[in-house]
Amino acid sequence: MINKLFLDSASIEEANRCISMGIIDGVTTNPSLFSKQPKGDFISHCRKLAEVCNGLPLSVEIFSSDPDLMFSEAMKIYKEIDYTNLNIKIPIGVGELSVIKKLSDRNIPVNCTCCFTYSQMLLAARAGSRYVSLFYNRALDSGENSNEILENTNNYIKSLNLDCEIISGSIRKTDDVITAWSSGSHIVTASMKIIEDMCTHQGTTESVNGFLQDFSEWIS
Ligand code: E4P
């Protein structure tokens, strides 16, 4: 299984940085991440993110809470952003499952989000989600066994040969990334800060400083 890394951010600058380094396989956003960005036009911001993603999957969440309105809102967003690899984020729920089914029947990729249990992930996958997103640490906070959920969901997807990948979000430290991948998460979506932390180590800093110190003494 290839371990994929997505950036969890609505920042165009952060997306541009990570994609230009070639280190991420996609971008996920959510309404709270958008609220951290300068106020502006939602659709044009999404279009700029899509331009930076340049073919990579980009998840954008609907923001109505009524399942009856979700389908029309999703279709509107998909059409207006006009990006083939746009994945519409729909939170898991009973009414939402029929929205997921209708969208996936129209070949609109859905990222079913806000999952906290194996049964939610399983039902989201069965309804046709292209991605099912486990809120890894929020689920742990609520007493769930996130690693077991990932393992079970991965086995379920494999057993039915579903075109569905697991995303682990709600990542709080670099260890979560490795643990989620090794527990069966195809993808981990992490903040810029986590991705930066994944690239740093005290030992690296000390080694580089030591080399430069030794060399500066020798060369002088
Ligand atoms: C995925 O995109 C989720 O929306 C996100 O990772 C949630 O993370 P949080 O628990 O830090 O809000």
Side-chain angles (χ1 to χ4, degrees), residues 191-211:
S191 67
M192 189 74 237
K193 173 71 175 63
I194 294 289
I195 293 174
E196 287 168 351
D197 288 349
M198 285 171 72
C199 193
T200 55
H201 190 287
Q202 182 59 30
T204 305
T205 308
E206 287 168 2
S207 301
V208 170
N209 291 341
F211 293 152

mmCIF file of all heavy atoms in Angstrom, residues 191-211:
data_model
loop_
_atom_site.group_PDB
_atom_site.id
_atom_site.type_symbol
_atom_site.label_atom_id
_atom_site.label_comp_id
_atom_site.label_asym_id
_atom_site.label_seq_id
_atom_site.Cartn_x
_atom_site.Cartn_y
_atom_site.Cartn_z
ATOM 1 N N SER A 191 -1.697 19.160 8.650
ATOM 2 C CA SER A 191 -1.473 20.606 8.525
ATOM 3 C C SER A 191 -0.039 20.887 8.063
ATOM 4 O O SER A 191 0.831 20.011 8.110
ATOM 5 C CB SER A 191 -1.699 21.265 9.891
ATOM 6 O OG SER A 191 -0.657 20.818 10.778
ATOM 7 N N MET A 192 0.187 22.139 7.660
ATOM 8 C CA MET A 192 1.538 22.561 7.260
ATOM 9 C C MET A 192 2.507 22.347 8.415
ATOM 10 O O MET A 192 3.642 21.890 8.224
ATOM 11 C CB MET A 192 1.484 24.048 6.865
ATOM 12 C CG MET A 192 2.743 24.563 6.221
ATOM 13 S SD MET A 192 2.917 23.978 4.539
ATOM 14 C CE MET A 192 4.489 23.180 4.613
ATOM 15 N N LYS A 193 2.064 22.674 9.627
ATOM 16 C CA LYS A 193 2.928 22.535 10.823
ATOM 17 C C LYS A 193 3.363 21.075 11.013
ATOM 18 O O LYS A 193 4.533 20.786 11.256
ATOM 19 C CB LYS A 193 2.155 23.018 12.061
ATOM 20 C CG LYS A 193 2.828 22.794 13.400
ATOM 21 C CD LYS A 193 4.026 23.689 13.615
ATOM 22 C CE LYS A 193 4.627 23.554 15.023
ATOM 23 N NZ LYS A 193 5.162 22.206 15.326
ATOM 24 N N ILE A 194 2.418 20.133 10.872
ATOM 25 C CA ILE A 194 2.753 18.715 11.027
ATOM 26 C C ILE A 194 3.734 18.294 9.932
ATOM 27 O O ILE A 194 4.719 17.599 10.189
ATOM 28 C CB ILE A 194 1.489 17.828 10.970
ATOM 29 C CG1 ILE A 194 0.569 18.109 12.172
ATOM 30 C CG2 ILE A 194 1.863 16.335 10.916
ATOM 31 C CD1 ILE A 194 1.052 17.642 13.505
ATOM 32 N N ILE A 195 3.487 18.742 8.711
ATOM 33 C CA ILE A 195 4.374 18.371 7.596
ATOM 34 C C ILE A 195 5.774 18.918 7.832
ATOM 35 O O ILE A 195 6.774 18.229 7.628
ATOM 36 C CB ILE A 195 3.790 18.854 6.248
ATOM 37 C CG1 ILE A 195 2.504 18.077 5.924
ATOM 38 C CG2 ILE A 195 4.813 18.719 5.117
ATOM 39 C CD1 ILE A 195 1.752 18.546 4.701
ATOM 40 N N GLU A 196 5.856 20.155 8.345
ATOM 41 C CA GLU A 196 7.175 20.710 8.701
ATOM 42 C C GLU A 196 7.827 19.889 9.806
ATOM 43 O O GLU A 196 9.014 19.543 9.735
ATOM 44 C CB GLU A 196 7.026 22.174 9.114
ATOM 45 C CG GLU A 196 6.754 23.110 7.956
ATOM 46 C CD GLU A 196 6.313 24.504 8.422
ATOM 47 O OE1 GLU A 196 6.058 24.672 9.631
ATOM 48 O OE2 GLU A 196 6.216 25.402 7.558
ATOM 49 N N ASP A 197 7.031 19.508 10.808
ATOM 50 C CA ASP A 197 7.580 18.686 11.910
ATOM 51 C C ASP A 197 8.061 17.324 11.394
ATOM 52 O O ASP A 197 9.044 16.775 11.904
ATOM 53 C CB ASP A 197 6.508 18.451 12.992
ATOM 54 C CG ASP A 197 6.210 19.713 13.792
ATOM 55 O OD1 ASP A 197 6.967 20.690 13.653
ATOM 56 O OD2 ASP A 197 5.197 19.732 14.523
ATOM 57 N N MET A 198 7.383 16.803 10.365
ATOM 58 C CA MET A 198 7.792 15.497 9.810
ATOM 59 C C MET A 198 9.183 15.570 9.203
ATOM 60 O O MET A 198 9.854 14.568 9.005
ATOM 61 C CB MET A 198 6.784 15.059 8.717
ATOM 62 C CG MET A 198 5.468 14.574 9.240
ATOM 63 S SD MET A 198 4.267 14.338 7.904
ATOM 64 C CE MET A 198 4.949 12.878 7.112
ATOM 65 N N CYS A 199 9.578 16.836 8.894
ATOM 66 C CA CYS A 199 10.842 16.997 8.174
ATOM 67 C C CYS A 199 11.985 17.381 9.115
ATOM 68 O O CYS A 199 13.118 17.574 8.689
ATOM 69 C CB CYS A 199 10.628 18.078 7.113
ATOM 70 S SG CYS A 199 11.942 18.122 5.933
ATOM 71 N N THR A 200 11.677 17.557 10.391
ATOM 72 C CA THR A 200 12.740 18.037 11.295
ATOM 73 C C THR A 200 12.988 17.021 12.416
ATOM 74 O O THR A 200 12.144 16.211 12.751
ATOM 75 C CB THR A 200 12.311 19.377 11.956
ATOM 76 O OG1 THR A 200 11.048 19.171 12.599
ATOM 77 C CG2 THR A 200 12.182 20.482 10.927
ATOM 78 N N HIS A 201 14.267 17.081 12.913
ATOM 79 C CA HIS A 201 14.636 16.235 14.050
ATOM 80 C C HIS A 201 15.797 16.923 14.758
ATOM 81 O O HIS A 201 16.679 17.501 14.096
ATOM 82 C CB HIS A 201 15.049 14.845 13.574
ATOM 83 C CG HIS A 201 15.215 13.843 14.688
ATOM 84 N ND1 HIS A 201 16.276 13.877 15.564
ATOM 85 C CD2 HIS A 201 14.433 12.825 15.102
ATOM 86 C CE1 HIS A 201 16.160 12.887 16.441
ATOM 87 N NE2 HIS A 201 15.042 12.237 16.195
ATOM 88 N N GLN A 202 15.786 16.862 16.058
ATOM 89 C CA GLN A 202 16.864 17.491 16.857
ATOM 90 C C GLN A 202 18.223 16.966 16.419
ATOM 91 O O GLN A 202 19.190 17.710 16.261
ATOM 92 C CB GLN A 202 16.616 17.218 18.348
ATOM 93 C CG GLN A 202 17.631 17.868 19.295
ATOM 94 C CD GLN A 202 17.678 19.374 19.157
ATOM 95 O OE1 GLN A 202 16.675 20.013 18.829
ATOM 96 N NE2 GLN A 202 18.861 19.940 19.353
ATOM 97 N N GLY A 203 18.268 15.645 16.148
ATOM 98 C CA GLY A 203 19.536 15.029 15.734
ATOM 99 C C GLY A 203 20.035 15.615 14.429
ATOM 100 O O GLY A 203 21.241 15.813 14.235
ATOM 101 N N THR A 204 19.123 15.924 13.514
ATOM 102 C CA THR A 204 19.522 16.511 12.225
ATOM 103 C C THR A 204 20.151 17.884 12.454
ATOM 104 O O THR A 204 21.219 18.197 11.941
ATOM 105 C CB THR A 204 18.293 16.654 11.309
ATOM 106 O OG1 THR A 204 17.657 15.383 11.193
ATOM 107 C CG2 THR A 204 18.676 17.196 9.950
ATOM 108 N N THR A 205 19.442 18.692 13.260
ATOM 109 C CA THR A 205 19.932 20.055 13.537
ATOM 110 C C THR A 205 21.313 19.998 14.171
ATOM 111 O O THR A 205 22.241 20.693 13.751
ATOM 112 C CB THR A 205 18.938 20.773 14.473
ATOM 113 O OG1 THR A 205 17.620 20.674 13.911
ATOM 114 C CG2 THR A 205 19.320 22.217 14.687
ATOM 115 N N GLU A 206 21.476 19.133 15.171
ATOM 116 C CA GLU A 206 22.765 19.023 15.866
ATOM 117 C C GLU A 206 23.863 18.524 14.922
ATOM 118 O O GLU A 206 24.982 19.028 14.917
ATOM 119 C CB GLU A 206 22.637 18.078 17.071
ATOM 120 C CG GLU A 206 21.856 18.701 18.230
ATOM 121 C CD GLU A 206 21.480 17.669 19.298
ATOM 122 O OE1 GLU A 206 21.875 16.475 19.143
ATOM 123 O OE2 GLU A 206 20.770 18.054 20.255
ATOM 124 N N SER A 207 23.529 17.563 14.065
ATOM 125 C CA SER A 207 24.551 17.012 13.145
ATOM 126 C C SER A 207 25.012 18.072 12.163
ATOM 127 O O SER A 207 26.212 18.275 11.948
ATOM 128 C CB SER A 207 23.961 15.820 12.373
ATOM 129 O OG SER A 207 23.538 14.833 13.280
ATOM 130 N N VAL A 208 24.048 18.790 11.580
ATOM 131 C CA VAL A 208 24.399 19.830 10.593
ATOM 132 C C VAL A 208 25.235 20.919 11.263
ATOM 133 O O VAL A 208 26.280 21.337 10.749
ATOM 134 C CB VAL A 208 23.119 20.434 9.959
ATOM 135 C CG1 VAL A 208 23.448 21.657 9.129
ATOM 136 C CG2 VAL A 208 22.408 19.393 9.111
ATOM 137 N N ASN A 209 24.808 21.345 12.438
ATOM 138 C CA ASN A 209 25.568 22.390 13.149
ATOM 139 C C ASN A 209 26.987 21.921 13.472
ATOM 140 O O ASN A 209 27.957 22.661 13.333
ATOM 141 C CB ASN A 209 24.836 22.800 14.426
ATOM 142 C CG ASN A 209 23.535 23.556 14.134
ATOM 143 O OD1 ASN A 209 23.354 24.076 13.020
ATOM 144 N ND2 ASN A 209 22.622 23.586 15.104
ATOM 145 N N GLY A 210 27.090 20.647 13.893
ATOM 146 C CA GLY A 210 28.417 20.089 14.205
ATOM 147 C C GLY A 210 29.310 20.065 12.984
ATOM 148 O O GLY A 210 30.485 20.486 13.039
ATOM 149 N N PHE A 211 28.776 19.632 11.834
ATOM 150 C CA PHE A 211 29.573 19.602 10.591
ATOM 151 C C PHE A 211 30.055 21.009 10.248
ATOM 152 O O PHE A 211 31.227 21.229 9.927
ATOM 153 C CB PHE A 211 28.736 19.043 9.432
ATOM 154 C CG PHE A 211 28.376 17.584 9.560
ATOM 155 C CD1 PHE A 211 27.214 17.097 8.972
ATOM 156 C CD2 PHE A 211 29.182 16.705 10.279
ATOM 157 C CE1 PHE A 211 26.871 15.759 9.083
ATOM 158 C CE2 PHE A 211 28.852 15.365 10.393
ATOM 159 C CZ PHE A 211 27.691 14.891 9.798
#
